[in-house]
Amino acid sequence: MGPYIKSNNKTSKIMIHLMIALIPIIIFSVYKNGYIPYSKGYVGFGGLLYPLFFILIGSLTSFLTETIYGLIFKNKDFIKNSYSIFPGLFLSLILPLNIPIIVLILGSFIASFVGKLIFGGFGKNVFNPALIGYIFIVASFPSLFTTNAYLNNYELDAISKATPLTNSSLVSGIGSYDELIKPYGSLSDFFIGTVPGSLGETSALLCVVAFVYLSIVGVIKWKIPITYISTVFIINFIISRLLGVGLYYPIFSILTGGLMFGSIFMATDPVTSPVTNVGQVLYGLFLGILTVLLRFTGVEGVATSILIMNMFVFTLDRIGAKSRFNLCNSLVSLFVSVVLIFVVGIYIASESRGESKDPDFEIISKELNGDITNYVVNQKGYGGNIKSSIDIKEGNIISFEVLNHHETANKYELIIDDNYIDKLINDSDVDTVSGATITSTALKKTVINVMEDYNE
Amino acid sequence: MKVKIPKNRLTEEKVTVYNKPKKVYIPLISGNDINITILVNKGEYVYKGSIVGKRKGNFRIPICSSVSGTVIGFEDRTCFNGEKVKCVAIENDFKEKIEIKSSVKKSINKYNKEEFLEKLRENGIIGMGGAGFPTYVKYESKKNNTLIVNAAECEPFVTADEKIALSKCEEILEAIDAIIEINNMKEAIIAIEKDNIALKNLFDNYVGTYLKIKVVQVPNFYSVGWERTLVKEITGKEYDKLPSEKGIIVNNISTIYAIYEALKYNKPLIERIITFSGDLDHPRDILVKIGTPVKEVIEELGVRGNVIIAGGPMMGVKVLDDLVISANQNCVLNLNYSFTKESPCINCGRCVSVCPAKLSPVLIMKNNKPYLDCSKCIDCGLCSYVCPAKINVREYVRKAKRGDE
C-alpha cells in the first residue's frame, strides 16, 4: 500500500547531524581540559588525551550495554536502530571530569539500561536517558560533586578556589559581579567557555553554533531551546530589576549551570520531547520556570527540570494537538505560564532581599563602650572562620583587627603585603587581592556585614 | 510546513488516443457508490453513450457505455479504488454509433439553469479530479458566486489535467464563461501551478477576452490541489464542510471540459485523458475510453516496473493488472517498488508539521484517541512520505478512522 514514493529523510541522517554538531564541542573540551594543562606543564601526555578517553569510555559503555542486551534478548534490527552511543556520550559531557572512571561507567550503564532498555529500547523511553544516568550519580555519590570536581589541573591552580562554581547547582543566592564572575574571568569567558565546568557545558558559543547548524539542516525542535532560554533570562531579568543588580545577572544565569547545553541537546531529544508546536512552547516555558525555581532552592536546575517535564510531555502534546484546530485550547496554559514567570521572579527577588543575613557571618559579641561600638565577629574564609574585632565610631570604622584565622600562610601574607585591611577600613569597595581571593573576599564581607548590622 | 515533492518523470508532449479496445468493462460504480441499477441485459445492443446503469438514491446519475456494441455479460474487474467492482462487459463493434437524444443549443450560454443542470445530469458528469461526486448537485444552490477551476495537479507524475488544458484551452474557457453566466456567478478563477510556464503563457493569450475569468498561480507544494488547501490559497477563506458555505464551487479542469462536451454536443462522460507514467519506456498522456482494460494499453508503452498503481504515487492504490479505467481516475503508474523496513518512531514531529488537515498523526498512531479528530484525514499520504523512520503513518490514521465509525 502507498505511498509509493518516499522522501529522503532518514533517522540515521538525523543522528549523523547530531554527531557533527557535537564535534566542535568535543574538540574544545579536549583543548581546554587536555591541551591547555598539558601545554602549561600541569599534566603529562596522558592528561592531554584524558578528556577524549573520558568521552570514549562513556560512549563505549552505553554502546556495549545496549548491544549486548540486544544480542541476548532482541535481534539485529534492534541493535541497528538503537544509536546506543548517545546516552553515554551525553553523560560524559555533563559529568565533572574528576570523578573516578568507574563512576562514569556505572552512570553510563544506568543511562542505557534504566533510561532506555527498561522502557523497551530506542524510541520508547519517557525520560532522557543521559539525565537518568546523571541524576543517579548525583544522588548516589553527592560528595563527588565538589567545586574541585569541575576544575582541571590548570584551573585548580589559576583560579585558586573561589566561590563554589557549581556547574550543576548554580548560584542559589544573588551574587555580585565580583563574587560570581570575576574570579573566573569576564562574561565573555563564560560565553566562549574558558571557565571551569564539565566537558560539554562550558562553551555557550559552541552550543549556539550547534543550534544554528541543527536548525539549518532542520533536525532540531528549535522552539524548545528558544523558549527555555528566553524564559530563564526573563525571570532573572525581572529579579535583577527588582533587586537593582546589573544586566550581568540574567546574562550570567543563561551562560552557566549547563543551561545552554541542556536546552539545546537534552531538552530537544526528540523521543522525550513534545511533537506539537504549542506543546514545545509550553515545554520550554515550564522548563524555564522550573529551572529558575530549583536553582533558587539550591538544587540542580537543568537536569531535574527536564526529567520532571518529561513526565508531562503526553499532557502537553494533548493540549498541542487540540490547539492545532483551535488555538483557544492552549490559552489557559499559556496564561498560567506567563503568570508563573512573573510570580516566580517576584518571589525570588523578595526572598533574596529579605535574606540580608550572610550565613557565613556570625556576630559573637557586640558592645557599646562610650561612643565606640565594638563587634567581635566570625566570617567564613577558606580554611575556616576568620575571627575579627572591629570598632565603629560615628558610623566609621576606626579599627579592624584579625584575632584568629586558619587561612593559608602564603595567601595571608599577600593580604598583609597589600595593606588590604587598611584599605578596607577606608573603602569597603576595594578590589580583592589576586591570588588570595577567598581570604580577601571574607575580610571584605566582614566589613560589609558589620556595617549592615550597625546601620540597622 | 509545505512540502515540495519533485514532479519526477514528465510524459511525452503529444497526447495520443487509444480507441480500439476489443472489449470494454464499464464499472458499475459512481464515485464510491456501487448501488447501481443495471439497465441492460446480456445480448442487448448498445450505442456509444447509451445508458447501461443508473445510480440509486438521490443522485440520479446515469452510467453510459463508451463504445457501441453488444453486451456480453457482467464481470468483476478492479477499479480505481483497488477493489473488484461489477462491470458491464461490452464487445466493441468499432462503429462508434451514437443515438440522437435531445437537442443542443448552438451557443451554450443560452441554456437556462434547469436545462444546464439537466444536461449535466443526463450526461453523467461527475467530478473527474478524484471523488467522483455528481457535478450537477454542486450547481443546484443559488448562492454560488465564485468558480475555481482546479488545474493545479500536485501529485508527482500526473500531467493529465495539464494536457487537457493545453489542448482544449479555448473550449474550456468557453465552458467556464457559459457556466458563470448561466449560474449568475461573479467570477471564475483558474488555478495553475507556479512552475507551469506553458500553461500560463497559453491562458494569458486567451483569457483577455473573458473579463470575468482570472488566472491565478498557486505555489507548487504537495496538497495544493486539495480543495480545502486550494480555496485557502486563492481566497484565504476556510470552510467547515463544503466550499459552497462560502459560495465557492471547485471543479477539476477535466470536468469543465466534460461539461463543455455535454452542453455543446450532448456527449456523455465516456472518455478522458489519463497519464500513463512511471518506469515505462514511453510515458504518455492518452485519451482512453472508460472501461478500457489497462493491460493492453500499458503493454504498448514498455513495462519496466513491478507494480501497477491506480492513481498517483501518493494517493494511488496498488492493483492487479485487470484494472479498468473509470471516469475519476487520472493516472496509471508502473513503478519499481520495494518495501522499506520500518524503524522505531523517534517522535521527530515531521508528520505533525506537514499534515494539511492539521492532524497529529504520530499521536494518533501512539494513542488512537478520538479527541484527535482522525476523521478529518484526507489520505494525502504526506505523513508517511516525510517519516524518517519510514513508518507508514497514514495506515495508523486510517485504522483510527475506521475505529471511529
Side-chain angles (χ1 to χ4, degrees), chain A residues 1-2 4 7 9 221 324, chain B residues 313 347 352 359 385-386 390 392:
Chain A
M1 64 194 97
Y4 297 94
S7 62
N9 298 335
K221 294 177 178 172
R324 294 202 88 207
Chain B
N347 241 21
V352 177
L359 299 176
Y385 178 78
V386 294
K390 307 299 173 202
N392 200 342

Side-chain angles (χ1 to χ4, degrees), chain A residues 235-435:
Chain A
I235 301 184
N236 282 300
F237 181 76
I238 294 174
I239 295 176
S240 72
R241 290 286 90 212
L242 289 175
L243 293 181
V245 286
L247 201 58
Y248 73 86
Y249 184 72
I251 296 179
F252 179 70
S253 71
I254 61 173
L255 293 179
T256 44
L259 178 66
M260 281 284 168
F261 188 84
S263 65
I264 291 170
F265 288 102
M266 312 264 89
T268 56
D269 169 42
V271 178
T272 54
S273 53
V275 286
T276 53
N277 286 341
V278 167
Q280 289 171 14
V281 167
L282 288 171
Y283 188 62
L285 284 170
F286 283 107
L287 277 174
I289 294 169
L290 269 178
T291 300
V292 176
L293 210 48
L294 286 169
R295 281 178 171 182
F296 175 66
T297 56
V299 170
E300 203 284 339
V302 173
T304 321
S305 45
I306 294 178
L307 286 174
I308 293 176
M309 287 311 295
N310 279 156
M311 291 191 283
F312 293 99
V313 166
F314 179 80
T315 314
L316 292 179
D317 264 336
R318 192 185 157 145
I319 299 174
K322 286 192 181 169
S323 304
R324 294 202 88 207
F325 303 123
N326 186 359
L327 201 52
C328 297
N329 282 318
S330 57
L331 283 180
V332 171
S333 14
L334 284 172
F335 178 72
V336 164
S337 52
V338 170
V339 164
L340 276 178
I341 286 176
F342 285 94
V343 163
V344 167
I346 296 172
Y347 168 71
I348 293 182
S350 65
E351 284 296 297
S352 306
R353 214 196 303 247
E355 208 180 77
S356 52
K357 253 203 149 228
D358 181 351
D360 296 328
F361 173 71
E362 187 198 349
I363 301 177
I364 301 177
S365 69
K366 176 178 170 181
E367 280 173 18
L368 189 59
N369 299 324
D371 53 358
I372 299 180
T373 314
N374 171 268
Y375 281 89
V376 175
V377 297
N378 265 336
Q379 178 75 43
K380 202 151 168 225
Y382 176 68
N385 279 329
I386 303 176
K387 192 168 176 188
S388 314
S389 167
I390 296 183
D391 287 335
I392 304 182
K393 180 175 177 178
E394 285 163 13
N396 295 318
I397 300 180
I398 55 174
S399 97
F400 182 165
E401 189 189 339
V402 172
L403 303 173
N404 192 9
H405 75 87
H406 306 280
E407 306 303 276
T408 330
N410 57 344
K411 305 280 181 194
Y412 199 73
E413 276 218 30
L414 294 171
I415 306 267
I416 305 285
D417 289 343
D418 191 51
N419 272 329
Y420 189 64
I421 297 184
D422 288 332
K423 287 187 188 169
L424 267 183
I425 295 177
N426 283 323
D427 177 13
S428 66
D429 199 19
V430 124
D431 280 341
T432 49
V433 179
S434 64

Side-chain angles (χ1 to χ4, degrees), chain A residues 1-11 14-15 77 81 122-124 217-219 221 270-276 314 317-318 321-322 324-325, chain B residues 156 309 313-314 316 318 341 343-348 350 352 357-360 362-363 367 371-373 376 381 384-386 388-390 392 394-395:
Chain A
M1 64 194 97
Y4 297 94
I5 49 172
K6 297 262 173 139
S7 62
N8 288 332
N9 298 335
K10 268 200 256 187
T11 307
I14 296 175
M15 294 302 166
D77 279 335
N81 290 322
F122 184 79
K124 302 207 166 56
V217 292
V219 301
K221 294 177 178 172
V271 178
T272 54
S273 53
V275 286
T276 53
F314 179 80
D317 264 336
R318 192 185 157 145
K322 286 192 181 169
R324 294 202 88 207
F325 303 123
Chain B
I309 295 164
M314 296 294 285
K318 194 166 79 155
K341 239 181 185 168
S343 52
C345 167
I346 62 170
N347 241 21
C348 67
R350 277 170 177 75
V352 177
K358 299 218 172 70
L359 299 176
S360 310
V362 62
L363 296 177
N367 305 306
Y371 66 77
L372 292 168
D373 268 341
K376 292 199 176 143
S384 299
Y385 178 78
V386 294
K390 307 299 173 202
N392 200 342
R394 179 173 67 174
E395 272 319 295

Side-chain angles (χ1 to χ4, degrees), chain B residues 310-376:
Chain B
M314 296 294 285
M315 298 184 67
V317 212
K318 194 166 79 155
V319 290
L320 303 167
D321 61 1
D322 67 342
L323 174 71
V324 295
I325 304 289
S326 6
N328 52 340
Q329 188 180 344
N330 59 4
C331 178
V332 174
L333 281 183
N334 175 249
L335 288 177
N336 264 321
Y337 175 68
S338 55
F339 176 70
T340 8
K341 239 181 185 168
E342 292 186 357
S343 52
C345 167
I346 62 170
N347 241 21
C348 67
R350 277 170 177 75
C351 52
V352 177
S353 58
V354 297
C355 180
K358 299 218 172 70
L359 299 176
S360 310
V362 62
L363 296 177
I364 296 176
M365 178 173 84
K366 292 196 167 172
N367 305 306
N368 193 14
K369 283 277 186 309
Y371 66 77
L372 292 168
D373 268 341
C374 8
S375 51
K376 292 199 176 143

Side-chain angles (χ1 to χ4, degrees), chain B residues 76 89 182 194 234:
Chain B
D76 280 346
I182 297 171
K194 262 209 178 84
I234 294 184

